[in-house]
Coordinates of all heavy atoms in Angstrom, one line a residue:
R867 N 167.4 151.0 56.1 CA 168.3 151.3 55.0 C 167.6 150.9 53.7 O 167.8 151.6 52.7 CB 169.8 150.7 55.0 CG 170.7 151.3 54.1 CD 172.0 150.8 54.1 NE 172.4 150.2 55.5 CZ 172.9 148.9 55.7 NH1 173.2 148.3 54.7 NH2 173.2 148.7 56.8
N868 N 166.9 149.8 53.7 CA 166.3 149.4 52.4 C 164.7 149.4 52.3 O 164.3 149.0 51.4 CB 166.8 147.7 52.2 CG 168.2 147.6 52.1 OD1 168.7 148.1 51.1 ND2 168.9 147.2 53.1
A869 N 164.2 150.1 53.2 CA 162.8 150.2 53.3 C 162.2 150.8 52.0 O 161.1 150.5 51.6 CB 162.3 150.9 54.6
I870 N 162.9 151.8 51.6 CA 162.3 152.5 50.5 C 162.2 151.6 49.2 O 161.3 151.9 48.4 CB 163.2 153.9 50.2 CG1 162.4 154.9 49.4 CG2 164.4 153.4 49.3 CD1 163.1 156.2 49.6
T871 N 163.0 150.6 49.1 CA 162.8 149.7 48.0 C 161.9 148.5 48.3 O 161.9 147.6 47.5 CB 164.2 149.2 47.5 OG1 164.9 148.5 48.6 CG2 165.0 150.4 47.1
L872 N 161.4 148.4 49.5 CA 160.7 147.2 49.8 C 159.4 147.0 49.0 O 158.9 145.9 48.9 CB 160.5 147.1 51.4 CG 161.7 146.8 52.1 CD1 161.3 146.9 53.6 CD2 162.2 145.4 51.8
A873 N 158.7 148.1 48.8 CA 157.3 147.9 48.4 C 157.1 148.8 47.1 O 156.2 149.9 47.2 CB 156.3 148.3 49.4
P874 N 157.7 148.5 46.0 CA 157.2 149.2 44.8 C 155.6 148.9 44.5 O 155.2 148.0 45.0 CB 158.1 148.8 43.7 CG 158.5 147.3 44.1 CD 158.6 147.5 45.7
P875 N 155.2 149.7 43.5 CA 153.7 149.5 43.3 C 153.4 148.2 42.9 O 152.3 147.7 43.1 CB 153.3 150.6 42.4 CG 154.4 151.5 42.4 CD 155.7 150.9 42.9
S876 N 154.2 147.5 42.2 CA 153.9 146.1 41.8 C 154.3 145.0 42.8 O 154.4 143.8 42.4 CB 154.6 145.8 40.4 OG 156.0 146.0 40.6
A877 N 154.7 145.5 43.9 CA 155.2 144.5 44.9 C 154.2 143.4 45.3 O 153.0 143.6 45.3 CB 155.6 145.2 46.2
S878 N 154.7 142.3 45.7 CA 153.8 141.2 46.2 C 153.3 141.5 47.4 O 153.7 142.4 48.3 CB 154.7 139.9 46.3 OG 155.6 140.0 47.5
P879 N 152.2 140.9 47.9 CA 151.6 141.2 49.3 C 152.5 140.9 50.4 O 152.6 141.6 51.3 CB 150.4 140.2 49.3 CG 150.0 139.9 48.0 CD 151.3 140.0 47.1
D880 N 153.4 139.9 50.3 CA 154.5 139.7 51.3 C 155.4 140.8 51.5 O 155.8 141.2 52.5 CB 155.2 138.4 51.0 CG 154.4 137.1 51.1 OD1 153.4 137.1 51.9 OD2 154.9 136.2 50.5
T881 N 155.8 141.4 50.3 CA 156.7 142.5 50.5 C 155.9 143.8 51.2 O 156.6 144.5 52.0 CB 157.2 143.0 49.0 OG1 157.8 141.9 48.4 CG2 158.2 144.2 49.1
R882 N 154.8 144.1 50.8 CA 154.0 145.1 51.4 C 153.8 144.8 52.9 O 153.8 145.8 53.7 CB 152.5 145.3 50.7 CG 152.8 146.0 49.3 CD 151.5 146.4 48.7 NE 150.5 145.4 48.4 CZ 150.6 144.5 47.3 NH1 151.4 144.9 46.3 NH2 149.7 143.5 47.1
C883 N 153.7 143.7 53.1 CA 153.5 143.2 54.7 C 154.9 143.7 55.4 O 154.8 144.1 56.5 CB 153.2 141.8 54.8 SG 151.5 141.4 54.4
A884 N 156.0 143.4 54.8 CA 157.3 143.7 55.4 C 157.4 145.3 55.6 O 157.7 145.8 56.6 CB 158.4 143.3 54.5
L885 N 156.9 146.0 54.6 CA 156.9 147.4 54.7 C 156.0 148.0 55.8 O 156.2 148.8 56.6 CB 156.6 148.2 53.4 CG 156.7 149.6 53.4 CD1 158.1 150.1 53.8 CD2 156.4 150.3 52.1
A886 N 154.7 147.3 55.9 CA 153.7 147.7 56.8 C 154.4 147.3 58.2 O 154.2 148.1 59.2 CB 152.5 146.9 56.7
G887 N 155.1 146.2 58.4 CA 155.6 145.9 59.7 C 156.8 146.9 60.0 O 156.9 147.3 61.3
F888 N 157.5 147.4 59.1 CA 158.7 148.3 59.4 C 157.9 149.6 59.9 O 158.4 150.3 60.9 CB 159.4 148.6 58.1 CG 160.2 149.9 58.2 CD1 161.3 150.0 59.0 CD2 159.7 151.0 57.6 CE1 162.0 151.1 59.0 CE2 160.5 152.3 57.6 CZ 161.6 152.3 58.3
I889 N 156.9 150.0 59.2 CA 156.2 151.3 59.6 C 155.6 151.2 61.0 O 155.7 152.0 61.9 CB 155.3 151.6 58.6 CG1 155.9 152.2 57.3 CG2 154.4 153.0 59.0 CD1 155.0 152.3 56.1
T890 N 154.9 150.2 61.3 CA 154.2 150.1 62.5 C 155.2 149.8 63.7 O 155.2 150.4 64.8 CB 153.2 149.0 62.5 OG1 153.7 147.9 62.2 CG2 152.0 149.2 61.7
A891 N 156.2 149.1 63.4 CA 157.3 148.8 64.4 C 158.1 150.1 64.7 O 158.4 150.5 65.9 CB 158.4 147.8 64.0
S892 N 158.3 150.9 63.7 CA 159.1 152.3 63.8 C 158.1 153.1 64.7 O 158.6 153.8 65.6 CB 159.4 152.7 62.6 OG 160.2 152.1 61.9
R893 N 156.9 153.2 64.3 CA 155.9 154.0 65.2 C 155.8 153.7 66.6 O 155.9 154.5 67.4 CB 154.5 154.0 64.5 CG 153.6 154.9 65.1 CD 154.1 156.4 65.1 NE 153.0 157.1 65.7 CZ 152.8 158.4 65.5 NH1 153.8 159.0 64.8 NH2 151.8 159.1 65.9
R894 N 155.6 152.4 66.8 CA 155.6 151.8 68.2 C 156.9 152.0 69.0 O 156.8 152.3 70.3 CB 155.2 150.3 68.2 CG 153.8 150.0 67.7 CD 153.5 148.7 67.7 NE 152.1 148.4 67.3 CZ 151.7 147.2 66.7 NH1 152.5 146.3 66.5 NH2 150.4 147.3 66.3
A895 N 158.0 152.1 68.2 CA 159.3 152.6 68.8 C 159.3 154.1 69.1 O 160.5 154.5 69.7 CB 160.4 152.0 68.1
G896 N 158.3 154.8 68.9 CA 158.4 156.3 69.1 C 158.9 157.1 67.9 O 159.2 158.3 68.2
K897 N 159.1 156.6 66.8 CA 159.8 157.3 65.8 C 158.6 158.3 65.1 O 157.5 158.0 65.1 CB 160.3 156.5 64.6 CG 161.4 155.5 65.1 CD 162.5 156.3 65.6 CE 163.5 155.2 66.1 NZ 164.6 155.9 66.9
H898 N 159.2 159.5 64.7 CA 158.1 160.4 64.1 C 157.7 160.2 62.6 O 158.6 159.5 62.0 CB 158.7 161.9 64.2 CG 158.8 162.2 65.6 ND1 157.9 162.7 66.5 CD2 160.1 162.4 66.3 CE1 158.4 163.0 67.6 NE2 159.7 162.8 67.6
E899 N 156.5 160.5 62.2 CA 156.0 160.2 60.9 C 157.0 160.7 59.9 O 157.1 160.0 58.8 CB 154.6 160.9 60.7 CG 153.5 160.4 61.6 CD 153.5 161.4 62.8 OE1 154.1 162.5 63.0 OE2 152.6 161.0 63.7
E900 N 157.6 162.0 59.9 CA 158.4 162.4 59.0 C 159.7 161.5 58.7 O 160.1 161.2 57.6 CB 158.9 163.8 59.4 CG 157.9 164.8 59.7 CD 157.2 164.8 60.9 OE1 157.7 164.3 61.8 OE2 156.0 165.4 60.9
K901 N 160.2 161.0 59.8 CA 161.3 160.1 59.7 C 161.0 158.8 59.1 O 161.6 158.1 58.2 CB 162.2 159.9 61.0 CG 162.8 161.1 61.4 CD 163.8 160.8 62.6 CE 164.7 161.9 62.8 NZ 166.0 161.7 62.9
I902 N 159.9 158.3 59.4 CA 159.4 157.0 58.9 C 159.1 157.1 57.4 O 159.5 156.3 56.7 CB 158.1 156.4 59.7 CG1 158.5 156.3 61.3 CG2 157.7 155.1 59.0 CD1 157.3 156.0 61.9
R903 N 158.4 158.3 57.0 CA 158.1 158.3 55.6 C 159.3 158.6 54.8 O 159.3 158.1 53.7 CB 157.1 159.6 55.3 CG 155.7 159.3 55.6 CD 154.8 160.5 55.0 NE 155.3 161.7 54.9 CZ 155.3 162.7 55.7 NH1 154.7 162.6 56.8 NH2 155.9 163.9 55.5
A904 N 160.4 159.2 55.4 CA 161.6 159.4 54.6 C 162.2 158.1 54.2 O 162.8 158.0 53.2 CB 162.5 160.2 55.4
Q905 N 162.1 157.2 55.1 CA 162.6 155.8 54.9 C 161.7 154.9 54.1 O 162.1 154.1 53.2 CB 162.9 155.0 56.2 CG 163.9 155.6 57.0 CD 165.3 155.4 56.4 OE1 165.6 154.3 56.0 NE2 166.1 156.5 56.4
S906 N 160.3 155.1 54.2 CA 159.4 154.2 53.5 C 159.2 154.8 52.0 O 158.7 154.0 51.3 CB 158.1 154.1 54.2 OG 157.4 155.3 54.3
G907 N 159.5 156.0 51.9 CA 159.1 156.6 50.4 C 157.6 157.1 50.2 O 157.4 157.4 49.1
H908 N 156.8 157.0 51.3 CA 155.4 157.4 51.1 C 155.3 158.9 51.1 O 156.0 159.6 51.8 CB 154.6 156.9 52.4 CG 154.3 155.4 52.3 ND1 155.1 154.5 52.8 CD2 153.3 154.7 51.8 CE1 154.6 153.3 52.7 NE2 153.5 153.4 51.9
A909 N 154.4 159.4 50.3 CA 154.0 160.7 50.2 C 153.2 161.2 51.7 O 152.7 160.3 52.3 CB 153.0 161.0 49.1
S910 N 153.4 162.5 51.9 CA 152.8 162.9 53.1 C 151.3 162.7 53.2 O 150.7 162.6 54.3 CB 153.1 164.4 53.4 OG 152.4 165.1 52.4
N911 N 150.5 162.6 52.0 CA 149.1 162.3 52.0 C 148.7 160.8 51.6 O 147.7 160.7 51.2 CB 148.5 163.3 51.0 CG 149.0 163.1 49.6 OD1 149.9 162.4 49.3 ND2 148.3 163.7 48.6
S912 N 149.6 159.8 51.9 CA 149.4 158.6 51.5 C 148.5 157.8 52.4 O 148.7 157.8 53.6 CB 150.7 157.7 51.5 OG 150.5 156.4 51.5
P913 N 147.3 157.5 51.9 CA 146.2 156.8 52.8 C 147.0 155.4 53.3 O 146.6 155.1 54.4 CB 145.1 156.4 51.8 CG 145.3 157.3 50.7 CD 146.7 157.6 50.6
A914 N 147.7 154.7 52.5 CA 148.3 153.6 53.1 C 149.2 153.8 54.3 O 149.1 153.2 55.4 CB 149.1 152.8 52.0

């Protein structure tokens, strides 16, 4: 519910780590990229 606000561009490394953990855990749980991106707020072409 709060992933979209976890990592604004000026976020600390710890906050970015939390978002990375959310994304990787979601993917390992079998969630699709589109749903994960909708929660994380990343663009479809985001290298990160």
Side-chain angles (χ1 to χ4, degrees):
R867 192 176 337 129
N868 294 291
I870 210 161
T871 61
L872 286 178
S876 60
S878 70
D880 289 341
T881 304
R882 286 190 296 274
C883 288
L885 184 57
F888 162 74
I889 293 169
T890 56
S892 296
R893 180 59 173 202
R894 287 178 181 154
K897 303 302 179 189
H898 296 284
E899 299 95 8
E900 297 82 18
K901 288 197 172 225
I902 300 169
R903 274 198 339 266
Q905 291 292 312
S906 69
H908 284 91
S910 61
N911 62 349
S912 167

